[in-house]
Amino acid sequence: MTNQNRCRENLKTILYGALAFLGCALVYLLLIATCVWQSHYGVQSETAIEWVQDVVLGATMVFFYLTAWKLPQERGGVLLMAGFMTVLFIREQDAYFDLIVHGAWVYAVAAFLVCLFYVVWKRGLDETLEGLAQFVRSRAFITMLAGLGMLLVYSRLYGSDKFMWRFFIEDQHWRYVAKRLSEESMELMAYALMMISACGYYIDRCRAGRR
């Protein structure tokens, strides 16, 4: 590789990093804008954060589905990852599903998983394993692992009343509200990491396909 080509590649890498940074900044600008908006209309801050979570998680789903569409030879594995994000998204909408019947989100998830597993099964085991293996080999997997660890482990322990908080505060106390806000903000950080992973993986695979 000549010095000119190497310089061009370095500039592309730096640009990619700058875009990733701007993507993170946009997530939190969206959060700030939502919180300012909710302060004028009386929406709870916790609800505003949850709205931004939905947007970020929805974007993560879209990136994985776009990747699955882009890579037919790996579609089965990528669809599993997209499906996992979809399940998380459905779970986040439990309050709306409860308007139908309490716990209705479980039935929605079950119906979705039946359809997903049928599609993946039709795609074949080789394609599924190829899609999963390619993602695990990528740099995006580390970011996704950090996001999932923060979401499914640390934020759950942090938010568990039985684990620690019942020893320090009572429900409806102002400290409990602060605890809920910090817990939701932590989940938003986890979702942001997962979105960065999905977006980065989509961009990397698109770049690799053009070479």
Side-chain angles (χ1 to χ4, degrees), residues 66-140:
L66 287 174
T67 305
W69 175 77
K70 186 78 174 179
L71 306 171
Q73 70 278 11
E74 303 171 19
R75 187 166 294 163
V78 181
L79 281 176
L80 281 180
M81 295 182 285
F84 178 73
M85 298 302 157
T86 305
V87 169
L88 291 178
F89 184 83
I90 294 174
R91 176 63 181 87
E92 287 291 339
Q93 314 310 312
D94 59 332
Y96 301 108
F97 282 106
D98 284 346
L99 297 176
I100 304 172
V101 63
H102 182 69
W105 69 271
V106 175
Y107 304 106
V109 166
F112 170 76
L113 289 178
V114 169
C115 298
L116 173 67
F117 289 146
Y118 175 76
V119 172
V120 172
W121 175 73
K122 293 289 287 184
R123 301 298 302 184
L125 180 62
D126 291 343
E127 184 181 293
T128 301
L129 293 177
E130 179 68 18
L132 292 174
Q134 287 288 353
F135 182 70
V136 171
R137 294 189 193 105
S138 69
R139 295 175 298 177

Side-chain angles (χ1 to χ4, degrees), residues 21-39:
F21 176 81
L22 288 175
C24 295
L26 285 174
V27 170
Y28 287 94
L29 283 175
L30 178 61
L31 174 61
I32 292 172
T34 306
C35 287
V36 171
W37 179 84
Q38 63 84 28
S39 67

Side-chain angles (χ1 to χ4, degrees), residues 133-143 197 201 204-205:
Q134 287 288 353
F135 182 70
V136 171
R137 294 189 193 105
S138 69
R139 295 175 298 177
F141 177 69
I142 304 299
T143 307
S197 171
Y201 187 62
D204 283 345
R205 297 313 304 272

Side-chain angles (χ1 to χ4, degrees), residues 16-28 53 55-64 67 85 135 138-148 150 187-205:
Y16 174 75
L19 290 174
F21 176 81
L22 288 175
C24 295
L26 285 174
V27 170
Y28 287 94
Q53 288 176 356
V55 172
V56 174
L57 188 52
T60 307
M61 288 167 42
V62 169
F63 280 122
F64 273 124
T67 305
M85 298 302 157
F135 182 70
S138 69
R139 295 175 298 177
F141 177 69
I142 304 299
T143 307
M144 179 61 69
L145 204 59
L148 287 175
M150 183 180 294
E187 288 189 14
L188 175 59
M189 175 69 76
Y191 286 138
L193 287 173
M194 293 157 65
M195 184 191 70
I196 292 169
S197 171
C199 177
Y201 187 62
Y202 174 72
I203 293 173
D204 283 345
R205 297 313 304 272

